[in-house]
Amino acid sequence: MATTRLLIAALGGEGGGVLTNWLVAAAAAQGLKAQATSVPGVAQRTGATTYYLEIADEADSATHPVFALMPVAGDVDVVVASELLEAVRMAERGFVVPDRTFLVSSTHRVLTMHERIARGDGARDADSLMQTAERASRDRFLTDFAAIARKSGAALNSVLLGAIAGRKLTPIPAEALRDAIEAGGIAVARNLTGFDAGFTAASCLERSPDAPGETPAASKTPVSTALEERVRALPGEAREIARIGVARLVDYQGPAYAALYLDRLAPFADEGPLCREVARHLAVRMSFEDIIRVAQLKTRASRLESVRREIGISEDEPFELVDFFKPGIPELADMLPPRLGRALNSWAERKGIRETAHFGMKVKTNTILGFGRIWLLAKLKPWRPRSLRFAEEQAAIDAWLKLVAEARAVSPEFALQTADLARLVKGYGDTYRRGQETYARVVEDMVRPVIARKDTVEDPAAQLKGAIAGILAAPA
Amino acid sequence: MERSFETEIELLRLGAGETFRGEGILAITKALLQSGVSYVGGYQGAPVSHLLDVLVSARDLMGEMGIHVESCANEASAAAMLAASINYPVRGAVTWKSIVGTNVASDALSNLASTGVTGGALIVIGEDFGEGASVIQERTYAYAMKSAMLLVDPRPNLGAMVDMVEHAFALSEASHMPAMMQLRIRACHVQGEFTARDNVKPAHGTNAKFREPADFFYPRLAHPPVIYAQEVNKVSERIPAARAYIREHGLNDRIAGGKPSRLGLVIQGGLYNTVMRQLGEMGLSDENGTPDIDILCLNVTYPLVPEELIAFARDKDRVLVVEEGNPAYMEQQMLRMTVDAGLATRIDGKNYLPEAGEYTGEVLAAGLGRYFLENGGNILDLDAIRRRMERMEKVRAAAGALLEAPLPPRQPTFCTGCPERPVFGAIKLAERTVGKVHVSADIGCHAFGTFAPFNQGNSILGYGLSLASMAAVTPMQERRSLAIMGDGGFWHNGMQTGVASNLYNKGDGVLIIMNNGYTSATGQQVIPSSKHSEIFGTGAKIATTLEAMGVKWLRTVRTYSVETMVATLKEAFTTTQKGLKVIIADGECMLARQRRERSEKAQALKEGRRVEQAKFGVDAEVCTGDHSCIRLSGCPSLGVADNPDPLRKDPIAEVKQDCVACGLCGEMAHAAVLCPSFYRAARIHNAGWFERTLHRIRTRVIGAMAGAA
């Protein structure tokens, strides 16, 4: 190919323009004819944006080639994408084709707004994006360039330039590309580090192995042998989850509460997959997030450790930490004995202030007094079983378990989906209450009629699964 | 401005024979200086903001040259500025984004075009058409035709563009018509090179002033009765003079085809590269642009030169007019010319090419391919064309079948830390109690509020027109309506068209003015109320302006104070007080603020002073993965991460490292009573001994308590 046609797909603010300028400047320094253009516009504000370059080799540079200003489907030699979905978008537009295009793309995801606002997991399946990117391209270099950039402390664009150089994707020699960074004169040392990291990755790796994910640390709370024995009696599929559940509930309320968990699980022990899913959701439901729980989580040593990690400091460096709480009347009522709590709620309802009266608190958790306030709340743990919220949650849990048990009569799959309904109830305050309403509606409309055999739905499990997915996908 | 332009300014100083390497729009800027302009102005808008930004930043150079630079309040004032060229032999250039800017300027333009000019007057038009365009898709060509203005559409390479700027001035002077030069987005941003000429100091300018004003001369006024003569003069004198200049100086390129084909292409200069590439791919041209068939490339698309076109068409069976956009003005004119000339040549155009939309490579390949296959006879290599078309079809089909469902879009959005974003969250919250309201949106960054997760806005009618466009909506709604306007829009147009008109008509309704201090969407140009500007600005205050105009209900609320904003909105929607209610939503553009603070912070760090570096975080164990925070805030820095809890599957929220600690997460968690998972953590650089000691004590005590938890 005499002239290399190269398309860069980036997100606004990622330095795609700078990457383009490096390439153009390097070509000019080599006496190679090149042209670049773009449509940044308002896409600068984190939207998707593209840059298009045509770079002539030495022979062509001696003539007067007419360069095009826009990429054409099927005619692009190299596509460089700073993010996986954008790489696939380039393929969707026909710019990455299996008989021509070399694809350089980072495999990390920056989720789009539409993917992020779902109530559940709205992200496009990364594996299938990866397969599409592979299938669509002639040859490829796909790796997590963002991770390389992070590790080397450089910006993504310099790493990508290094990768372009390492794979010799343009007529411009690698040294010239490196020199362009120096000639650019901005953050030279950092960008050269990034370039070298990208270059090295390109030179020695076909495709980087997936970074080993951190295995979630199970709670360190010791579980008594008696409880452990009961966990071991559960079906194999459910054991791991149940063990985590038991540990969590011992930490949450105590061994007796964890024993209650196992009691509640026992009726489902004859069916592995269902037992596992009930074990999962039941543990989450039984460790509901009331004020005491939040206080407990916020005052752990491990929590302070993760805050330090987040801002990159060691234990002896001073820092400031502010937590935001805004309990309202329902949260206060939650902590009172049921009769008193209900009375408070209905009084507030009559006054019309149940949803509006709140106590906003910004607590400086790095100070002794601030930490102490939350720490004291966490100490209310023994009081919890006497609270209104506890009573209500237990009743709701029992009702849900009863429903799952009844759903088994319809089909094992239907029971599984009924158990999965627990996902609809999450969050705090308003969000939590709206979740409860949605849950109640689905139970009345889609679960009870099926159990009562009033509805003759073809595949009730699939229907329920679809409904749950739909609710979680819809931004409320 | 968003960036500094030191390197660009150096390029503007290049002398004869030196090589200019840079962006298209900057080459145009250099060409203005080479053409001896006396004054420049304009109104910002992609893709021509850069032109004005650079000139404004180059005030030293402008001072040396004696060139007056004006950052106009809107396109109407920019167009009116060209009036200097009516009476005086001075060249002037202004710039804006079209079609919207031309619409705003049209009153002044009509009058300017009626009287005609003495000195060359050039409007550099950023033709915001096609991919990446942010405005309505209409052609500027209509203005050239109806007002008799020149329209230059140069081949998109730097040398041609620069030459055409210089010609445009001369052409304007020869014909007394104002000239427009349209540059498509990609041409503005194209990186290339040309050989510079020396800058030319204008004979008249700020360094060489006129002793006396021009003589009173009635025919130079756009006023009856001379307007009737001017109308005739346009067609009897000016257009013929323009045609003569175009012909004599060979402004349009006639490119002879290498094969004796009886087909020809008439193309707009701006489409030259895209057309040539497709001819090349079909085997109808070599890489250097020598085609098999005749091409007439029009660098001036209005007025057309009948002699040129007739001469081109005379010996041909068919001529295809490649003309982007709707309506097909050039094609219609050509049809008339060939009929008048009695030619049998068939004129094609929109019968082979799409009537509307951008002429991309794919579109041209399909249209040209069909044209050549049907009419190419046995002279052209039809097999090569057929192969090309088949491949394009194959690529298109394969791309279409690649995915089961289309990918989610990735639209531009409010920046991390943007002070306008919280307002849209507040509107969402206020609507929970007040109910849905009609939202009249406007042009500016705040138009991103129409995208997810806010999806707010019932209409967008133009820059600064939000309030005016709900004049007839409000009286017919049970609930009050809401207009959203930027401070840029307020000064551009909204003050008169919106506020004055509303007050005059005793209107009701709510207006939010986003007071961020700049026209931010176009790259942070200063406006009359900007606080941080060394060059322009008057320190005008929007609040006092509104009070003086007679606004009675006026509140200023910091945008990050979400709870206050929600309460203020509720009050505005429900108060019994009649009349316009204005909320000034105060919060400086975060990009500008960050740039200022970054250098201040770097300086403080260097001097060893105490610096706090804050960011927000999410407690992974407390977050339940509901994402209502993202739906209310929409911050780009607020992402989702895999749930570390093995018992939960839904991903949790996470705050990315680019968080600027604007505080919205905390405010939103409060205002919406979201959840307690957010925290704000600040790292302290250069802490003093007292703070360090205190920290050690705190760590010990808190550590002991945490251990006991």
Side-chain angles (χ1 to χ4, degrees):
Chain A
M1 204 60 56
T3 294
T4 304
R5 300 173 187 174
L6 187 151
L7 179 65
I8 298 170
L11 311 183
E14 276 189 339
V18 175
L19 175 57
T20 306
N21 289 347
W22 281 328
L23 285 159
V24 172
Q30 290 293 302
L32 300 177
K33 287 202 169 123
Q35 180 180 283
T37 186
S38 60
V39 276
V42 284
Q44 282 159 334
R45 312 284 184 242
T46 70
T49 180
T50 61
Y51 301 83
Y52 181 61
L53 296 96
E54 299 202 343
I55 306 165
D57 63 5
E58 220 177 307
D60 257 20
S61 293
T63 65
H64 300 281
V66 177
F67 293 122
L69 276 81
M70 54 177 85
V72 173
D75 292 353
V76 182
D77 300 304
V78 182
V79 167
V80 179
S82 66
E83 195 261 1
L84 184 59
L85 185 95
E86 294 313 311
V88 176
R89 195 190 304 285
M90 291 304 106
E92 187 189 34
R93 295 179 59 184
F95 296 137
V96 183
V97 286
D99 60 356
R100 180 160 187 171
T101 317
F102 192 109
L103 175 65
V104 179
S105 175
S106 187
T107 53
H108 79 289
R109 282 301 326 277
V110 177
L111 298 190
T112 65
M113 185 61 73
H114 290 85
E115 292 174 291
R116 286 189 285 141
I117 57 179
R119 272 193 267 187
D121 186 359
R124 206 52 189 244
D125 178 49
D127 288 338
S128 96
L129 286 177
M130 192 76 175
Q131 284 160 17
T132 309
E134 285 174 352
R135 201 170 67 236
S137 50
R138 174 182 61 83
D139 198 354
R140 63 210 63 83
F141 176 32
L142 309 174
T143 189
D144 190 344
F145 287 106
I148 296 177
R150 244 191 336 270
K151 222 181 292 165
S152 57
L156 182 55
N157 56 0
S158 60
V159 181
L160 289 171
L161 186 71
I164 294 169
R167 284 301 167 98
K168 300 185 180 60
L169 297 175
T170 68
I172 311 167
E175 254 326 290
L177 290 171
R178 203 170 184 280
D179 291 347
I181 290 179
E182 237 158 308
I186 293 162
V188 173
R190 217 166 61 102
N191 285 326
L192 287 180
T193 313
F195 179 92
D196 293 341
F199 188 85
T200 313
S203 320
C204 57
L205 274 179
E206 270 308 306
R207 189 185 146 184
S208 76
D210 291 333
E214 276 179 48
T215 40
S219 173
K220 290 181 191 82
T221 317
V223 173
S224 72
T225 19
L227 288 172
E228 175 59 32
E229 255 165 48
R230 289 187 62 187
V231 168
R232 247 181 263 147
L234 292 171
E237 298 103 310
R239 248 173 254 156
E240 184 54 34
I241 291 288
R243 194 169 286 125
I244 298 168
V246 165
R248 174 156 315 172
L249 294 168
V250 168
D251 169 58
Y252 184 83
Q253 193 61 44
Y257 195 54
L260 173 64
Y261 170 69
L262 291 172
D263 293 345
R264 281 172 162 162
L265 210 49
F268 303 95
D270 54 342
E271 204 182 310
L274 180 63
C275 186
R276 186 189 62 228
E277 287 314 299
V278 171
R280 178 197 308 283
H281 293 305
L282 182 60
V284 172
R285 292 204 71 166
M286 286 181 72
S287 59
F288 55 90
E289 287 91 359
D290 57 6
I291 293 178
I292 302 170
R293 177 61 170 171
V294 171
Q296 184 191 21
L297 295 172
K298 291 254 183 193
T299 50
R300 284 216 167 120
S302 61
R303 188 257 170 162
L304 293 172
E305 189 43 53
S306 77
V307 170
R308 278 193 206 98
R309 207 170 36 239
E310 184 74 19
I311 53 172
I313 57 166
S314 63
E315 204 181 340
D316 52 351
E317 279 180 85
F319 68 105
E320 279 183 7
L321 179 59
V322 180
D323 277 298
F324 300 84
F325 301 99
K326 195 174 184 186
I329 287 176
E331 284 73 23
L332 185 66
D334 276 353
M335 287 300 104
L336 297 175
R339 195 171 301 177
L340 208 55
R342 284 193 195 103
L344 174 62
N345 271 335
S346 52
W347 170 80
E349 193 85 57
R350 277 198 307 279
K351 287 265 173 194
I353 56 166
R354 184 166 186 260
E355 306 296 331
T356 51
H358 296 283
F359 325 100
M361 297 191 290
K362 290 179 186 175
V363 182
K364 286 193 172 177
T365 329
N366 65 313
T367 65
I368 295 166
L369 278 180
F371 188 88
R373 275 160 76 190
I374 306 180
W375 184 80
L376 280 176
L377 281 175
K379 292 285 143 197
L380 286 174
K381 192 158 100 176
W383 168 259
R384 182 187 278 136
R386 269 163 261 166
S387 71
L388 168 62
R389 175 78 184 270
F390 188 87
E392 285 180 344
E393 289 291 345
Q394 302 311 318
I397 289 166
D398 287 334
W400 166 67
L401 289 173
K402 186 162 166 276
L403 199 67
V404 177
E406 286 169 4
R408 294 179 73 179
V410 178
S411 74
E413 292 77 31
F414 188 67
L416 256 178
Q417 294 310 321
T418 306
D420 212 35
L421 277 176
R423 285 170 70 193
L424 300 183
V425 187
K426 58 181 173 176
Y428 297 82
D430 263 6
T431 314
Y432 183 79
R433 283 184 279 279
R434 276 205 306 276
Q436 280 179 316
E437 284 162 20
T438 313
Y439 171 86
R441 208 178 53 236
V442 176
V443 167
E444 285 317 310
D445 295 353
M446 301 186 67
V447 182
R448 291 217 187 279
V450 173
I451 291 174
R453 305 279 172 186
K454 278 185 196 142
D455 253 16
T456 44
V457 190
E458 188 141 322
D459 188 352
Q463 205 194 31
L464 192 54
K465 188 176 179 179
I468 295 171
I471 290 165
L472 289 176
Chain B
M1 271 162 275
E2 214 162 287
R3 42 184 285 205
S4 96
F5 293 104
E6 277 168 47
T7 14
E8 282 84 350
I9 293 167
E10 282 312 301
L11 285 175
L12 295 185
R13 289 185 180 271
L14 292 180
E18 293 183 279
T19 304
F20 173 107
R21 277 197 194 87
E23 218 181 1
I25 196 63
L26 195 65
I28 297 286
T29 315
K30 168 70 172 141
L32 296 178
L33 303 185
Q34 293 180 178
S35 306
V37 285
S38 298
Y39 65 96
V40 287
Y43 192 80
Q44 55 272 5
V48 288
S49 296
H50 211 141
L51 195 166
L52 204 59
D53 289 348
V54 172
L55 288 179
V56 164
S57 307
R59 55 193 178 285
D60 291 346
L61 174 60
M62 297 297 110
E64 286 165 33
M65 304 269 299
I67 300 172
H68 174 66
V69 183
E70 189 137 334
S71 185
C72 303
N74 60 26
E75 294 86 351
S77 62
M81 197 180 166
L82 291 173
S85 295
I86 296 176
N87 286 293
Y88 303 94
V90 290
R91 289 184 169 183
V94 296
T95 187
W96 59 67
K97 173 211 282 266
S98 200
I99 189 75
V100 286
T102 316
N103 288 343
V104 175
S106 59
D107 191 2
L109 283 183
S110 289
N111 286 284
L112 178 78
S114 188
T115 57
V117 294
T118 308
L122 177 65
I123 305 154
V124 179
I125 296 264
E127 193 74 31
D128 198 12
F129 187 86
E131 190 197 358
S134 56
V135 301
I136 32 188
Q137 301 288 279
E138 288 183 2
R139 298 186 68 184
T140 307
Y141 201 98
Y143 280 94
M145 285 177 82
K146 78 158 177 76
S147 300
M149 291 190 286
L150 303 160
L151 185 61
V152 182
D153 187 355
R155 279 159 62 166
N157 71 69
L158 266 47
M161 282 153 62
V162 167
D163 288 347
M164 284 310 294
V165 168
E166 298 179 16
H167 274 303
F169 280 113
L171 180 57
S172 169
E173 282 155 4
S175 64
H176 303 294
M177 295 160 79
M180 297 189 284
M181 174 180 278
Q182 69 164 83
L183 296 166
R184 292 166 178 78
I185 304 173
R186 287 178 184 272
C188 288
H189 296 305
V190 73
Q191 295 273 355
E193 58 179 66
F194 72 94
T195 307
R197 284 188 277 270
D198 284 328
N199 291 339
V200 175
K201 274 191 190 172
H204 305 281
T206 52
N207 293 345
K209 299 188 180 181
F210 288 101
R211 286 245 173 88
E212 300 292 336
D215 291 339
F216 178 74
F217 185 54
Y218 203 84
R220 283 207 199 103
L221 288 165
H223 205 243
V226 291
I227 44 172
Y228 307 109
Q230 287 165 0
E231 188 194 13
V232 173
N233 187 259
K234 282 179 182 176
V235 291
S236 64
E237 305 285 337
R238 296 185 206 164
I239 290 176
R243 285 174 174 155
Y245 183 99
I246 295 166
R247 244 189 5 258
E248 282 159 22
H249 293 84
L251 297 192
N252 295 327
D253 301 313
R254 183 161 173 175
I255 305 156
K259 284 188 182 167
S261 145
R262 289 177 63 81
L263 298 177
L265 299 183
V266 172
I267 64 177
Q268 290 167 302
L271 294 180
Y272 174 79
N273 293 42
T274 316
V275 169
M276 293 316 289
R277 169 55 53 80
Q278 288 318 309
L279 293 183
E281 293 290 340
M282 288 182 219
L284 296 175
S285 166
D286 69 12
E287 283 213 347
N288 296 325
T290 314
D292 285 355
I293 56 161
D294 285 359
I295 292 177
L296 180 60
C297 174
L298 301 178
N299 294 306
V300 183
T301 49
Y302 191 83
L304 295 178
V305 183
E307 295 88 335
E308 252 179 23
L309 289 162
I310 297 301
F312 181 76
R314 187 171 295 283
D315 59 343
K316 301 199 169 49
D317 295 335
R318 306 180 82 110
V319 168
L320 178 72
V321 183
V322 183
E323 180 185 13
E324 192 172 46
N326 176 57
Y329 296 118
M330 287 165 53
E331 186 184 336
Q332 289 160 11
Q333 292 175 76
M334 270 216 61
L335 274 167
R336 175 75 209 203
M337 283 175 206
T338 45
V339 169
D340 285 354
L343 299 189
T345 313
R346 157 106 205 189
I347 303 298
D348 296 300
K350 299 288 184 188
N351 51 337
Y352 281 96
L353 291 158
E355 273 190 89
E358 189 178 20
Y359 281 2
T360 60
E362 289 89 348
V363 163
L364 285 177
L368 291 175
R370 189 162 69 84
Y371 180 74
F372 292 130
L373 284 184
E374 286 178 17
N375 307 302
N378 45 15
I379 296 159
L380 304 176
D381 179 2
L382 300 187
D383 281 343
I385 298 168
R386 213 169 277 127
R387 277 197 304 276
R388 171 70 176 162
M389 290 183 74
E390 276 164 14
R391 178 175 153 77
M392 301 281 291
E393 185 48 42
K394 208 181 97 194
V395 165
R396 201 190 58 78
L402 200 59
L403 295 164
E404 278 168 20
L407 296 175
R410 197 187 298 273
Q411 284 138 341
T413 179
F414 298 105
C415 305
T416 298
C418 174
E420 299 188 351
R421 194 153 31 75
V423 179
F424 290 92
I427 297 171
K428 243 180 162 175
L429 290 174
E431 281 187 332
R432 282 188 189 168
T433 45
V434 178
K436 283 296 280 176
V437 298
H438 175 100
V439 176
S440 190
D442 211 300
I443 307 290
C445 290
H446 41 86
F448 297 151
T450 59
F451 293 140
F454 304 112
N455 305 107
Q456 283 162 358
N458 295 86
S459 67
I460 296 182
L461 258 281
Y463 195 24
L465 293 175
S466 58
L467 181 58
S469 59
M470 69 181 205
V473 174
T474 313
M476 296 188 281
Q477 296 272 324
E478 289 273 348
R479 255 169 254 135
R480 287 198 176 112
S481 320
L482 174 66
I484 295 165
M485 193 187 286
D487 46 2
F490 176 79
W491 293 116
H492 175 273
N493 201 348
M495 183 175 72
Q496 312 94 302
T497 330
V499 179
S501 188
N502 183 290
L503 293 169
Y504 180 67
N505 287 287
K506 300 200 184 309
D508 202 13
V510 184
L511 169 67
I512 292 181
I513 298 177
M514 301 283 191
N515 190 30
N516 73 10
Y518 310 86
T519 56
S520 300
T522 50
Q524 276 165 26
Q525 289 77 16
V526 296
I527 48 175
S529 51
S530 293
K531 280 182 200 138
H532 305 280
S533 163
E534 314 99 63
I535 313 162
F536 296 107
T538 55
K541 293 205 169 51
I542 293 177
T544 33
T545 306
L546 290 171
E547 278 165 10
M549 291 176 81
V551 173
K552 298 276 184 288
W553 195 103
L554 179 63
R555 308 277 187 276
T556 300
V557 183
R558 206 179 140 263
T559 61
Y560 297 107
S561 308
V562 179
E563 279 184 279
T564 317
M565 184 63 83
V566 173
T568 313
L569 277 167
K570 283 187 199 164
E571 192 199 333
F573 283 124
T574 54
T575 176
T576 51
Q577 190 178 330
K578 295 276 176 229
L580 181 64
K581 276 142 293 268
V582 185
I583 302 170
I584 297 179
D586 230 357
E588 190 190 356
C589 171
M590 187 53 85
L591 287 177
R593 206 178 108 189
Q594 267 182 297
R595 207 182 47 248
R596 237 194 10 259
E597 287 179 351
R598 204 180 302 139
S599 55
E600 283 167 15
K601 235 175 213 178
Q603 186 62 27
L605 275 177
K606 218 161 81 186
E607 290 169 10
R609 278 185 281 142
R610 182 183 185 279
V611 173
E612 254 188 63
Q613 194 183 350
K615 89 175 276 287
F616 271 73
V618 168
D619 279 314
E621 288 178 293
V622 183
C623 173
T624 61
D626 167 71
H627 313 155
S628 51
C629 51
I630 300 176
R631 291 191 291 276
L632 277 169
S633 134
C635 180
S637 187
L638 204 48
V640 298
D642 287 342
N643 204 322
D645 183 349
L647 297 180
R648 296 184 205 249
K649 286 176 179 168
D650 293 331
I652 55 162
E654 73 164 345
V655 179
K656 296 187 203 158
Q657 286 301 324
D658 59 354
C659 168
V660 296
C662 70
L664 179 61
C665 291
E667 290 289 340
M668 209 42 112
H670 264 190
V673 200
L674 280 183
C675 83
S677 34
F678 284 102
Y679 63 84
R680 178 187 189 275
R683 170 181 192 171
I684 316 283
H685 295 274
N686 304 324
W689 70 268
F690 177 75
E691 199 169 11
R692 293 193 161 273
T693 314
L694 185 62
H695 173 72
R696 267 197 296 279
I697 298 167
R698 282 173 172 170
T699 308
R700 197 159 305 160
V701 176
I702 289 175
M705 287 162 92

